[in-house]
Amino acid sequence: MHKNVLVCVTQQKTCENLIEHGVELSRDEGSQLYVIHVVNENDKLLYNLSDGDALEYLFEITKDVGANLIVKRSKDVAKAIVDFAVEKDITHIVLGNSKTIDTANNFSMKLQKKLPDVVFVS
């Protein structure tokens, strides 16, 4: 069965581990792998790197694994991810661990409520 896998990367350079997890999930024939980084319009793309360096870093990693890279700026990060997931018929989303323990403010929980048919992997 094919999967459409979306890996959500953040401002941490450890995103390479998340992408590798996405690669494992998308090994089935016909599967698609997308890597998305959505940032607030005023934030940098990756911690302590210029936007150009950050884009080059993400581009190289995604190119090496054959993924499609999507970089968006938005005032509403969750909405941008949900909209993309719906548009591409995403079946699995790979996320890092949320820093927020409070379920009402947990980013992963917010996405899961808006995308109940998607399998979330962290």
Side-chain angles (χ1 to χ4, degrees):
M1 180 179 128
H2 84 279
K3 299 173 187 164
N4 291 330
V5 179
L6 179 61
V7 178
C8 300
V9 295
T10 62
Q11 295 178 343
Q12 299 174 357
K13 276 190 88 171
T14 56
C15 64
E16 192 168 356
N17 295 332
L18 295 174
I19 293 169
E20 287 300 323
H21 198 75
V23 168
E24 291 298 319
L25 285 171
S26 64
R27 290 213 185 270
D28 297 335
E29 186 175 331
S31 294
Q32 293 290 317
L33 177 60
Y34 301 93
V35 175
I36 191 168
H37 183 60
V38 183
V39 293
N40 187 294
E41 294 172 344
N42 298 321
D43 291 343
K44 289 191 177 273
L45 294 176
L46 290 174
Y47 181 70
N48 279 338
L49 295 176
S50 72
D51 282 358
D53 289 343
L55 285 173
E56 184 175 340
Y57 172 75
L58 283 174
F59 177 75
E60 287 301 319
I61 293 170
T62 55
K63 184 176 108 176
D64 288 347
V65 299
N68 298 296
L69 174 63
I70 298 88
V71 179
K72 293 181 177 247
R73 290 192 179 274
S74 176
K75 291 181 181 179
D76 188 341
V77 174
K79 182 179 182 328
I81 292 170
V82 168
D83 290 349
F84 184 83
V86 169
E87 175 188 335
K88 296 297 183 181
D89 195 27
I90 297 299
T91 60
H92 294 72
I93 293 181
V94 178
L95 293 167
N97 293 325
S98 180
K99 295 176 185 175
T100 306
I101 297 171
D102 176 19
T103 56
N105 293 317
N106 184 294
F107 186 75
S108 177
M109 296 298 286
K110 287 179 184 179
L111 289 179
Q112 288 179 31
K113 285 180 184 176
K114 294 179 181 183
L115 297 166
D117 296 330
V118 174
V119 175
F120 283 79
V121 181
S122 52

